[in-house]
């Protein structure tokens, strides 16, 4: 039997959404650890076939107030050592970068809303994105990462240079929220209005614009998600 994929959820408001929808549809076993619900991370990652790390409002550098982040970083390092694929969404991508020796810093520009992401014109970017045409994906972050040495950058945006990277061509870190569904985004808008209070329609979009554009871009975003998830899962052991 296939070992389950471990899914780390840091907060109630940042649930796995379309990522676990895909796993359920593809009949791939997984186990979700919800830190906000009092769940505890396992001692080792070797009982799992993959490690998916979701987003959250905390900083990956705030290990003092969120001690589970230290545990998560150690599990990522162990996964990389044993070539157990890791996939990181937003905060998860930043944690992957940090675990591999990169650094997480305040972003020069916050990104909130549906933004154009441009895959780099490389064979690796083509392989992961399934093409090189720009795509529109959802962003909500105020920090960014400098990729670790030997990582391959996959995509950039106007306001954030490092949007996605791969390491050893099996571990994927993403700054964007490719897992986000309209209901998840709307929940954030309902509960974190201070982040869009100073919307400028450039790097930070207004609440009204985001709600409208959810239905413009969500379907294509899900297609991009399926492409990225399928490529990532190609290295996940089924035994």
């Amino acid at each position: 039997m296939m070992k389950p994929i471990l899914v780390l959820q840091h907060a109630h408001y940042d649930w796995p959404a379309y990522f676990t929808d895909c796993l359920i549809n593809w009949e791939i076993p997984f186990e979700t650890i919800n830190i906000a619900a009092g769940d505890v991370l396992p001692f080792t990652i070797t009982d799992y076939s993959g490690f998916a790390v979701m987003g959250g409002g905390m900083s990956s550098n705030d290990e003092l107030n969120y001690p589970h982040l230290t545990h998560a970083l150690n599990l990522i390092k162990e996964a990389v050592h044993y070539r157990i694929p890791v996939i990181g969404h937003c905060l998860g991508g930043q944690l992957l970068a940090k675990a591999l020796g990169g650094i997480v810093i305040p972003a020069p520009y916050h990104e909130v809303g549906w933004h154009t992401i441009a895959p780099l014109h490389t064979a690796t970017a083509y392989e992961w994105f399934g093409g090189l045409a720009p795509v529109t994906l959802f962003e909500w972050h105020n920090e960014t990462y400098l990729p670790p040495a030997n990582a391959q950058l996959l995509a950039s945006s106007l306001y954030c240079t490092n949007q996605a990277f791969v390491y050893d061509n099996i571990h994927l870190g993403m700054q964007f929220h490719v897992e986000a569904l309209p209901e998840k985004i709307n929940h954030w808008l309902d509960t974190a209005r201070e982040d869009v209070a100073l919307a400028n329609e450039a790097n930070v979009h207004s609440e009204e614009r985001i709600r409208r554009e959810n239905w413009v871009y969500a379907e294509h975003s899900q297609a991009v998600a399926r492409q990225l998830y399928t490529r990532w899962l190609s290295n996940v052991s089924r035994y």
Side-chain angles (χ1 to χ4, degrees), residues 97 100-103 145-153 162 164-165:
L100 292 169
I103 61 173
Y145 56 83
L146 300 182
N150 301 318
Q152 291 180 275
L153 186 64
N162 301 310
F165 71 93

Side-chain angles (χ1 to χ4, degrees), residues 160-171:
C160 183
T161 300
N162 301 310
Q163 284 289 348
F165 71 93
V166 290
Y167 188 86
D168 282 347
N169 215 23
I170 64 172
H171 310 292

Side-chain angles (χ1 to χ4, degrees), residues 47-199:
D47 294 328
Y48 300 90
S49 62
F51 189 18
V53 188
M54 308 313 298
M58 64 287 294
S59 169
S60 62
N61 295 319
D62 194 4
E63 296 172 61
L64 182 63
N65 290 319
Y66 300 94
H68 80 278
L69 295 176
T70 301
H71 195 163
L73 288 165
N74 289 333
L75 288 178
I76 292 171
K77 292 174 184 177
E78 184 187 26
V80 171
H81 176 77
Y82 287 108
R83 293 187 62 81
I84 296 171
V86 179
I87 185 170
H89 302 73
C90 198
L91 171 65
Q94 295 169 0
L95 286 168
L96 175 60
K98 184 175 179 177
L100 292 169
I103 61 173
V104 177
I105 59 175
Y109 298 94
H110 296 189
E111 279 187 313
V112 180
W114 290 94
H115 285 269
T116 300
I117 309 300
L120 273 63
H121 283 249
T122 65
T124 303
Y126 184 94
E127 177 187 350
W128 280 85
F129 277 89
L132 298 179
V135 294
T136 303
L137 303 173
F138 193 74
E139 305 271 7
W140 195 309
H141 68 97
N142 56 28
E143 291 189 320
T144 187
Y145 56 83
L146 300 182
N150 301 318
Q152 291 180 275
L153 186 64
L154 297 181
S156 296
S157 73
L158 178 62
Y159 297 104
C160 183
T161 300
N162 301 310
Q163 284 289 348
F165 71 93
V166 290
Y167 188 86
D168 282 347
N169 215 23
I170 64 172
H171 310 292
L172 174 64
M174 301 172 289
Q175 185 59 75
F176 43 78
H177 282 278
V178 76
E179 90 294 348
L181 297 169
E183 54 266 36
K184 179 174 178 176
I185 297 168
N186 286 337
H187 175 71
W188 289 346
L189 292 171
D190 289 338
T191 56
R193 286 196 170 91
E194 64 277 6
D195 285 359
V196 293
L198 299 177

